[in-house]
């Protein structure tokens, strides 16, 4: 399995209506967070500890809420807010 990120529940629900310049910033930051998670959870699929709590990532002109699930080897983006 390979680490990835995705919008949850769906892209149009999470970033629909966001300014076009915000979405690439969110996706760029998500890529960086996925690389960090892959390095921290080397064998995420067999991870047995309590999962990390959700967190907030700041991007230019906004922020997003996400959750890392090591056993899924996935970062889920739940909400994007633009300021």
């Amino acid at each position: 399995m390979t680490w990835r990120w995705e919008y949850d529940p769906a892209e149009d629900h999470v970033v629909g209506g966001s300014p076009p310049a915000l979405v690439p910033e969110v996706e760029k930051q998500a890529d960086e967070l996925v690389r960090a998670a892959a390095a921290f959870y080397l064998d995420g699929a067999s991870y047995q500890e309590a999962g990390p709590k959700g967190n907030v990532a700041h991007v230019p002109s906004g922020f997003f809420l996400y959750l890392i699930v090591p056993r899924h080897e996935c970062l889920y983006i739940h909400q994007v807010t633009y300021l």
Side-chain angles (χ1 to χ4, degrees), residues 38-57:
F40 190 78
Y41 302 103
L42 294 176
D43 189 14
S46 65
Y47 186 75
Q48 296 297 317
E49 304 297 319
K53 296 182 181 191
N55 212 337
V56 176

Side-chain angles (χ1 to χ4, degrees), residues 6-80:
E6 59 186 60
Y7 294 109
D8 184 37
E11 182 177 0
D12 60 334
H13 179 80
V14 178
V15 294
S18 296
L22 180 64
V23 176
E25 293 295 333
V26 168
E27 294 177 352
K28 178 180 165 186
Q29 183 68 26
D31 287 338
E32 292 178 21
L33 291 167
V34 164
R35 281 193 294 277
F40 190 78
Y41 302 103
L42 294 176
D43 189 14
S46 65
Y47 186 75
Q48 296 297 317
E49 304 297 319
K53 296 182 181 191
N55 212 337
V56 176
H58 296 273
V59 294
S61 64
F63 61 92
F64 63 95
L65 304 176
Y66 67 92
L67 176 66
I68 295 172
V69 181
R71 284 172 282 190
H72 295 178
E73 293 189 350
C74 188
L75 178 144
Y76 296 99
I77 301 173
H78 293 287
Q79 179 181 347
V80 174

